[in-house]
Amino acid sequence: MNKETVKNSVADFLSARYFKQVDATEEEKAHFVSLMEECVKHVIGKMFHPITEVPEKGKHIIVVTEKGFITSWFVSDDIMKSFMSFKVKYWLYSNDIIPGKEDAV
């Protein structure tokens, strides 16, 4: 998800819901969109884990390598060795990005 996608998604959401219910100036709307963008980026950033954090064994994770490759694994006993071998930059639990499916995987 890139910055433009976040910005457009936030603006679309607010236009469809919030801005129809309040009388705000264009400056107030722009400020609120900016604030919501920061919030979305913060929440998304919290889903990523550094490779120094060991994921729970047996869980399904998505990994991003230093070269930008993305793949997924089930966590094994030697996950830290795999992180080093494949030069993993960070990882996240796959169920963290499936809306409404917190324990689906």
Side-chain angles (χ1 to χ4, degrees), residues 49-57 61 63 73-89 91:
H49 300 269
I51 63 163
T52 55
E53 184 179 332
V54 181
E56 189 178 333
K57 183 181 176 195
I61 61 171
V63 297
W73 300 331
F74 283 96
V75 180
S76 62
D77 287 328
D78 62 348
I79 194 68
M80 297 309 284
K81 182 178 177 184
S82 297
F83 281 177
M84 294 306 187
S85 295
F86 289 93
K87 297 182 181 174
V88 172
K89 185 176 179 180
W91 62 272

Side-chain angles (χ1 to χ4, degrees), residues 84-104:
M84 294 306 187
S85 295
F86 289 93
K87 297 182 181 174
V88 172
K89 185 176 179 180
Y90 52 85
W91 62 272
L92 65 140
Y93 289 107
S94 59
N95 61 357
D96 285 347
I97 62 169
I98 303 172
K101 303 286 185 181
E102 287 78 14
D103 294 316

Side-chain angles (χ1 to χ4, degrees), residues 26-44:
E26 289 304 313
E27 185 178 335
E28 290 170 329
K29 289 178 183 180
H31 176 72
F32 197 59
V33 167
S34 176
L35 182 64
M36 291 298 290
E37 279 181 67
E38 286 182 43
C39 179
V40 169
K41 286 187 256 184
H42 177 77
V43 170
I44 291 170

